[in-house]
Amino acid sequence: MQQTIITQALLLLLAFYPAAAGQNHFHSDDSTSPDGPASIFRAIEQGLARGDERIFSVFFSRTVSLNVRGNSPGYYSANQAGQVLRHFLASRKIPSFRFTTLESDDHPFATGSATMTVGGRIERFQVYAGLTRDKSGWVISQFNIY
């Protein structure tokens, strides 16, 4: 009986909170709406500036083309991509980050550059994020830090 209640509660949770099931709710076609590409790009900016990939990794597609400085480029699962970025950000301090180029047409992408501190050295870096649409809405399909 108790196991049935727990199972039903879990199914209810996943039905109302698809991010817990590895999905998201970005269905809007308007790129400036709270559910459009602009909100994902803002999440990336916040996540990088705070050193917390979890702020934007919830928007990763099931498979992400990932190229992060110091790591092997390739296609990663959403979880693997999050782990690569977590490791990358753990040893770096990024004082702030803002995208300088935002394109929100049929193939949204954003680019930007900033500085980070790595072991007492200041290094410049560039970020590229590309979005695609899948059945759950807009997702991050490509992410690069050069």
Side-chain angles (χ1 to χ4, degrees):
M1 174 77 169
Q2 186 177 11
Q3 186 177 16
T4 303
I5 293 171
I6 292 171
T7 302
Q8 289 174 344
L10 182 59
L11 290 173
L12 185 64
L13 174 70
L14 293 176
F16 286 102
Y17 297 99
Q23 302 171 7
N24 62 54
H25 266 181
F26 290 105
H27 293 289
S28 175
D29 287 330
D30 180 5
S31 64
T32 60
S33 78
D35 294 340
S39 64
I40 297 175
F41 295 139
R42 280 191 300 275
I44 294 169
E45 291 173 336
Q46 291 173 354
L48 290 175
R50 293 181 187 172
D52 188 355
E53 88 296 335
R54 294 172 299 177
I55 294 172
F56 62 91
S57 65
V58 296
F59 303 113
F60 282 157
S61 64
R62 291 184 190 265
T63 304
V64 182
S65 173
L66 186 70
N67 186 356
V68 175
R69 185 185 293 184
N71 292 282
S72 297
Y75 288 91
Y76 293 81
S77 72
N79 287 336
Q80 290 170 326
Q83 290 173 353
V84 168
L85 286 167
R86 185 174 309 118
H87 179 72
F88 178 83
L89 293 171
S91 61
R92 290 158 176 85
K93 172 77 173 127
I94 301 170
S96 68
F97 177 77
R98 290 278 181 242
F99 285 116
T100 53
T101 303
L102 294 165
E103 184 61 49
S104 297
D105 60 6
D106 293 339
H107 305 285
F109 70 90
T111 62
S113 64
T115 60
M116 63 183 151
T117 305
V118 184
R121 295 183 329 269
I122 296 176
E123 297 180 6
R124 286 201 62 71
F125 69 99
Q126 301 254 356
V127 174
Y128 171 88
L131 308 183
T132 56
R133 248 195 199 294
D134 72 5
K135 58 186 164 195
S136 66
W138 291 109
V139 293
I140 302 169
S141 57
Q142 186 174 2
F143 194 83
N144 302 322
I145 298 179
Y146 304 104

